[in-house]
Amino acid sequence: GSLVIKHGDVDAWLQTYPDTGKFLQAVLGHKFHPRLRGFESNWTARVAGEVTLDVAKCLVHEVLNGSPIHQDSGQNFVQI
């Protein structure tokens, strides 16, 4: 089975939880894995760099689908 999320719902989620993009960027950058080079033991969303809504949407797509998407893509749905 799969779950389909309309991009409009992703926008609402990201606006409600704006640190989601920061967290996903940190996960993909291995900020939480102590054995990898990018590990940051003191990482917090408060000190993390800003992540635009467009970049956050791309990160959501990448994490849920396992493949990167360019922020200018015309996709209307994210499928998990």
Side-chain angles (χ1 to χ4, degrees), residues 12-57:
W13 173 269
L14 292 171
Q15 290 174 1
T16 302
Y17 304 101
D19 290 339
T20 300
K22 292 179 180 185
F23 176 75
L24 294 176
Q25 192 171 58
V27 168
L28 294 173
H30 306 290
K31 303 291 185 198
F32 307 125
H33 195 298
R35 294 186 183 166
L36 295 179
R37 184 179 203 145
F39 177 65
E40 290 185 23
S41 61
N42 296 323
W43 185 93
T44 65
R46 186 174 303 189
V47 298
E50 289 299 315
V51 175
T52 67
L53 181 60
D54 288 338
V55 170
K57 286 193 288 188

Side-chain angles (χ1 to χ4, degrees), residues 45-75:
R46 186 174 303 189
V47 298
E50 289 299 315
V51 175
T52 67
L53 181 60
D54 288 338
V55 170
K57 286 193 288 188
C58 291
L59 291 168
V60 167
H61 178 85
E62 183 173 348
V63 168
L64 296 181
N65 289 312
S67 61
I69 185 173
H70 190 271
Q71 67 188 33
D72 294 331
S73 172
Q75 289 217 351

